[in-house]
Amino acid sequence: MKASPYAFITPFFLVFGAFGLVPLLYTGWYSLHSVQLSSLDKQTWVGLENYKNLWSSDFFWNALKNTFTIGLISTVPQLLLALGIAHLLNYKLRGSTLWRVVMLTPYATSVAAATLVFTLLYSWDGGMINWLLHFVGVDPINWRESDWGGQFAVSSIVIWRWTGYNALIYLAAMQAIPADLYESTALDGANRWQQFRHVTIPMLRPTILFTVVVSTIGATQLFGEPLLFGGSKGGSEHQYQTLGLYMYDQGWIIGNLGKASAIAWSMFLILLIVAAVNMLVNRRLRKSQ
Amino acid sequence: MRTSTRGSRRMMTLAVVATLTTGLLAGCADDSGDSTPNNGGGNGGGGGGKTALTIGTFGVFGYKQAGLYDEYMKLHPDVSITENVTTKTDVYWPKTITRLQAGSGVDDIQAIEIGNVAEAVQTQADKFVDLGKEVDKSQWLDWKNAQATTKDGKQIGLGTDIGPMAICYRKDLFKEAGLETDRTKLAAEWKGDWSKFVDVGKNYMKKAPSGTKFVDSASSVYNAALGGASERYYDKDGNPIWDKSKGVKAAWNSAMEVATSDMSAKLKQFEKPWDQALANAKFATVACPAWMIGYIQEKSGEAGKGNWDVAAAPTAANWGGAFIGVPTAGKHQKEAIALAKWLTAPEQQAKVFAKQASFPSAPAAYATLKPQAATVEYFSNAPIAEIYAASAKTIPVQYFGVKDQPIGTAIADVGILQVEQKGKTPEQGWDAAKNEIKDVLGQ
């Protein structure tokens, strides 16, 4: 009897061990060596040299900063929007299933397809966004090369793809809120906005925390959108080169596998720190409740 | 009774787990064998005793398009050929280089792009068959052979196509701008130096038809100019000399003249907006390696017909091209060598040119080159084959290095782009490129 639960979960751990843990540890081993993609067998031990190199590299800090700012300008509006949309979808609507399916379609499109379309929308010469802007008298913006424009454009792709997904998660949580809570606040004279603020939001808190964590992890790993939007350098001044992109550029384009492994492990450590901070905040919040 | 049910249930569970696990692992094993789907058939005799050869390529090699595989299979009924195409080189090469080192998953023939050939020669030579012993080397241009040959004389690949340079220009726009439109006179005007080409651009911009520019981008001028330099990023011993190289400096200066003036359409090649600009005649010239001809014809479309012309480039230059090699890890080396020899023979190279305009690296093919009639007509009856053949024969020997490709990217996509699109000064652009290259070289 006791063995069976463990037996049930072993396949996961076996597969995770083979395709998750072993590569993870091996990457760590690589990160302490100087290894080129073209000569994998020639590994020279360099200790923490790769990490020191990153510590003093402007490109690394720039990528870290970009990951953070793009994460911020993509996650915050995304979750706020999702919350608003979920609230609207929570009303009695005609064809509610249709709306929900529509919300989920951006999530179902591939990153490549979505980014390709957005790249066209944002193109400098003849892109739709610059065309719309010229009606309000704004000069064409070179989205791909401008500093904030590039980050904004990349974030907008993320927002477009993930808002609906988060909205549905919020919606599911909202529908689990007992209706009598709303009724009693209505009796107390609360309007819809007050209901939203004082009933919906507090009841959603665990869900919101969950989406924040998931979005943060997603933001840290952001890769496909900036790569397809402007190549592995992320713009000529690395304006939107994220950590993931920097790792790819070092490992697969430049072929410096040792350094790329060090970046991978740095990302892993950063995620651990983020998780720890999240746990502390979580505990603090629970205490204050 | 109870215990026995429990026991059997446990057995059941373990059985399920075991099946799931082996199933998953088997699934993975299947995946890794994907690239050589015919090996099983070939070995097991399931394919009727046929030797199943695979060839790994990137982009469009044109062998299939020119019907060469079918032709070879007809000549050798005991051989079947499958081509595994990876569209993008920057995906193809990392994949190939890891498989070469693992010694498994490689195709019987692997294509090597010119930007990667130095890396292959210097780091993977022992993973390839020495093809120099198998062929008459004099079939190929000397510099083409030299690029795929190690210091101790082992040749790891046979030349397929090359990218001799010319200038493609819009006659109609030149005429409107009041410039010379005759291809021989134009070629004479800029002969010898890319900065003379830039001077023509300055004249063009004085009376440029509205909404048009002289060139598509500063980096295309850079690449074209560098393609004719005898000194690039590395010296012939493989030491990086990019910061002192005369060729790099001259090409950079020409590109800077373009980037700091208003003669560039500031586009990135092969992207959608560039395609659209080709279709709408937004720029008057483009540096035109032989493989660009087909591209222009396709993207510029019916409206460009008869408006395009081809003139000799300021200097004989090469941009692009490839090799095919036979990995030692392949299962059918003898058959693969025979196929590689046949595919790169002058007659076959001429057939690929006729279909795909990939320019042969074997001069024996030049006398009989026949571009498609529609292409000749499209480019105002320009003697395309002669112009490119003349360029091909005078291209200097160039030395490539291990990190040639990322260095080129750093200069074009960081340095030049910052000046062209972000209004930085050429000094700032060069500094940025320099930092980038130091990062590439791990300095």
Side-chain angles (χ1 to χ4, degrees):
Chain A
M1 193 65 189
K2 258 185 199 161
S4 57
Y6 295 103
F8 276 125
I9 56 171
T10 30
F12 169 78
F13 283 98
L14 283 179
V15 174
F16 172 76
F19 300 103
L21 193 65
V22 170
L24 185 80
L25 296 176
Y26 204 57
T27 307
W29 179 248
Y30 261 9
S31 75
L32 302 173
H33 291 77
S34 166
V35 196
Q36 292 289 315
L37 182 64
S38 54
S39 21
L40 294 172
D41 293 333
K42 240 196 278 162
Q43 305 170 7
T44 20
W45 174 265
V46 291
L48 292 175
E49 201 51 49
N50 283 324
Y51 292 93
K52 274 189 211 150
N53 189 321
L54 286 184
W55 188 264
S56 60
S57 158
D58 293 341
F59 297 131
F60 175 73
W61 292 109
N62 173 62
L64 183 61
K65 191 203 80 196
N66 287 343
T67 309
F68 182 74
T69 51
I70 294 177
L72 212 63
I73 50 182
S74 63
T75 308
V76 174
Q78 180 197 133
L79 295 183
L80 289 178
L81 264 174
L83 208 55
I85 290 171
H87 184 65
L88 292 179
L89 284 177
N90 203 17
Y91 288 123
K92 280 209 177 74
L93 290 176
R94 222 173 276 219
S96 60
T97 319
L98 175 77
W99 295 118
R100 286 170 202 177
V101 171
V102 168
M103 287 278 81
L104 208 59
T105 39
Y107 172 67
T109 41
S110 79
V111 188
T115 311
L116 214 67
V117 172
F118 271 88
T119 309
L120 284 181
L121 291 180
Y122 280 112
S123 88
W124 187 3
D125 193 22
M128 198 163 87
I129 294 183
N130 278 347
W131 177 71
L132 288 174
L133 283 177
H134 104 261
F135 286 115
V136 270
V138 179
D139 283 336
I141 297 170
N142 185 356
W143 291 99
R144 198 156 59 180
E145 286 307 320
S146 87
D147 298 337
W148 286 100
Q151 295 211 347
F152 176 81
V154 169
S155 304
S156 70
I157 307 171
V158 180
I159 294 173
W160 182 79
R161 280 195 72 227
W162 290 93
T163 302
Y165 170 82
N166 284 309
L168 286 193
I169 293 182
Y170 288 148
L171 179 62
M174 281 177 186
Q175 293 192 329
I177 300 173
D180 41 356
L181 279 177
Y182 289 104
E183 273 167 34
S184 59
T185 46
L187 282 178
D188 289 340
N191 62 25
R192 288 208 187 261
W193 170 243
Q194 285 167 327
Q195 284 182 342
F196 181 69
R197 272 200 57 197
H198 298 290
V199 180
T200 313
I201 298 281
M203 293 299 282
L204 282 186
R205 191 173 277 169
T207 317
I208 292 175
L209 262 172
F210 168 74
T211 54
V212 168
V213 172
V214 171
S215 310
T216 311
I217 293 174
T220 317
Q221 295 173 339
L222 188 66
F223 169 69
E225 287 89 347
L227 173 71
L228 293 168
F229 186 67
S232 67
K233 301 278 177 214
S236 68
E237 282 192 284
H238 301 239
Q239 302 97 313
Y240 42 89
Q241 188 178 51
T242 57
L243 280 174
L245 207 50
Y246 184 47
M247 174 177 76
Y248 175 76
D249 192 42
Q250 281 293 334
W252 300 100
I253 303 294
I254 295 175
N256 203 338
L257 226 48
K259 193 163 160 191
S261 304
I263 300 170
W265 262 79
S266 306
M267 282 172 76
F268 180 57
L269 294 179
I270 290 164
L271 269 182
L272 287 183
I273 294 170
V274 170
V277 169
N278 177 64
M279 226 166 68
L280 284 178
V281 172
N282 212 347
R283 207 174 282 167
R284 187 62 69 74
L285 279 177
R286 220 176 283 152
K287 253 182 213 161
S288 71
Q289 251 180 347
Chain B
M1 190 66 203
R2 199 193 258 173
T3 43
S4 83
T5 355
R6 200 189 281 167
S8 70
R9 195 185 290 158
R10 190 183 296 162
M11 282 304 289
M12 188 69 170
T13 312
L14 287 175
V16 168
V17 168
T19 335
L20 276 177
T21 320
T22 45
L24 278 167
L25 291 175
C28 298
D30 267 355
D31 267 355
S32 62
D34 244 354
S35 63
T36 50
N38 286 336
N39 274 358
N43 294 337
K50 275 193 182 185
T51 311
L53 293 178
T54 59
I55 168 165
T57 62
F58 51 84
V60 182
F61 256 65
Y63 290 154
K64 193 180 217 158
Q65 289 75 0
L68 292 187
Y69 298 139
D70 289 338
E71 199 181 328
Y72 191 81
M73 285 191 273
K74 218 174 264 171
L75 290 172
H76 304 266
D78 53 334
V79 170
S80 73
I81 305 170
T82 319
E83 186 179 22
N84 297 320
V85 187
T86 310
T87 314
K88 295 184 65 177
T89 354
D90 56 356
V91 177
Y92 169 81
W93 186 243
K95 188 169 75 183
T96 304
I97 208 168
T98 39
R99 285 180 180 174
L100 281 171
Q101 292 173 78
S104 74
V106 287
D107 293 311
D108 295 299
I109 295 178
Q110 293 280 178
I112 309 165
E113 214 257 347
I114 187 171
N116 304 120
V117 78
E119 190 177 20
V121 163
Q122 289 176 33
T123 64
Q124 311 298 320
D126 56 330
K127 305 285 192 293
F128 282 101
V129 173
D130 185 359
L131 292 171
K133 289 180 195 150
E134 311 283 343
V135 293
D136 172 15
K137 288 194 204 178
S138 66
Q139 275 180 26
W140 284 269
L141 292 160
D142 288 339
W143 58 267
K144 185 78 176 172
N145 282 329
Q147 284 171 347
T149 306
T150 63
K151 270 185 195 157
D152 45 9
K154 179 177 179 182
Q155 185 168 346
I156 63 161
L158 300 177
T160 59
D161 64 322
I162 56 173
M165 189 72 65
I167 300 284
C168 291
Y169 65 103
R170 300 249 346 178
K171 262 193 325 197
D172 53 337
L173 296 182
F174 268 51
K175 196 171 177 189
E176 253 185 89
L179 296 184
E180 180 60 61
T181 56
D182 179 68
R183 64 179 82 90
T184 31
K185 285 183 186 156
L186 270 176
E189 213 169 304
W190 56 51
K191 187 176 170 59
D193 199 335
W194 282 88
S195 65
K196 289 187 191 162
F197 173 75
V198 176
D199 291 339
V200 175
K202 286 176 187 157
N203 282 333
Y204 178 89
M205 290 316 291
K206 280 179 199 153
K207 271 184 70 186
S210 77
T212 71
K213 300 285 183 186
F214 184 63
V215 289
D216 57 341
S217 66
S219 28
S220 85
V221 173
Y222 174 81
N223 281 325
L226 189 69
S230 46
E231 217 176 40
R232 288 173 57 100
Y233 305 125
Y234 286 82
D235 66 11
K236 70 170 188 288
D237 299 319
N239 303 310
I241 49 156
W242 56 275
D243 50 347
K244 308 184 275 282
S245 157
K246 278 187 218 125
V248 173
K249 196 166 278 170
W252 172 265
N253 288 341
S254 296
M256 285 304 107
E257 276 198 71
V258 173
T260 52
S261 67
D262 63 343
M263 69 173 80
S264 163
K266 304 185 181 182
L267 295 161
K268 256 184 137 176
Q269 290 195 320
F270 310 111
E271 286 186 349
K272 211 79 198 179
W274 186 75
D275 289 354
Q276 287 165 351
L278 261 180
N280 300 325
K282 295 280 194 190
F283 50 80
T285 65
V286 57
C288 211
W291 44 263
M292 191 74 95
I293 289 281
Y295 210 88
I296 292 177
Q297 198 180 346
E298 185 194 329
K299 297 297 175 191
S300 196
E302 204 47 44
K305 193 174 169 182
N307 286 325
W308 284 96
D309 205 330
V310 185
T315 55
N318 181 65
W319 181 355
F323 301 84
I324 53 179
V326 176
T328 47
K331 290 200 180 70
H332 314 288
Q333 278 176 37
K334 214 179 79 203
E335 293 85 350
I337 292 169
L339 175 60
K341 268 168 75 174
W342 188 81
L343 284 173
T344 53
E347 306 82 62
Q348 272 64 250
Q349 290 203 23
K351 285 175 203 159
V352 178
F353 177 79
K355 180 74 195 167
Q356 202 73 31
S358 301
F359 204 79
S361 55
Y366 293 172
T368 54
L369 283 187
K370 266 213 198 76
Q372 285 181 346
T375 309
V376 176
E377 200 184 328
Y378 195 92
F379 288 91
S380 315
N381 297 316
I384 297 176
E386 287 81 357
I387 292 175
Y388 285 119
S391 172
K393 285 176 192 159
T394 46
I395 291 168
V397 178
Q398 297 181 315
Y399 300 104
F400 285 73
V402 178
K403 303 270 181 187
D404 229 83
Q405 198 128 308
I407 293 177
T409 308
I411 291 186
D413 288 359
V414 173
I416 295 176
L417 214 59
Q418 282 193 14
V419 178
E420 185 179 51
Q421 301 207 2
K422 301 207 67 179
K424 300 268 163 121
T425 65
E427 291 73 31
Q428 286 171 323
W430 181 252
D431 282 342
K434 215 159 124 177
N435 282 335
E436 196 78 35
I437 294 171
K438 284 188 172 154
D439 193 50
V440 167
L441 296 173
Q443 288 172 345

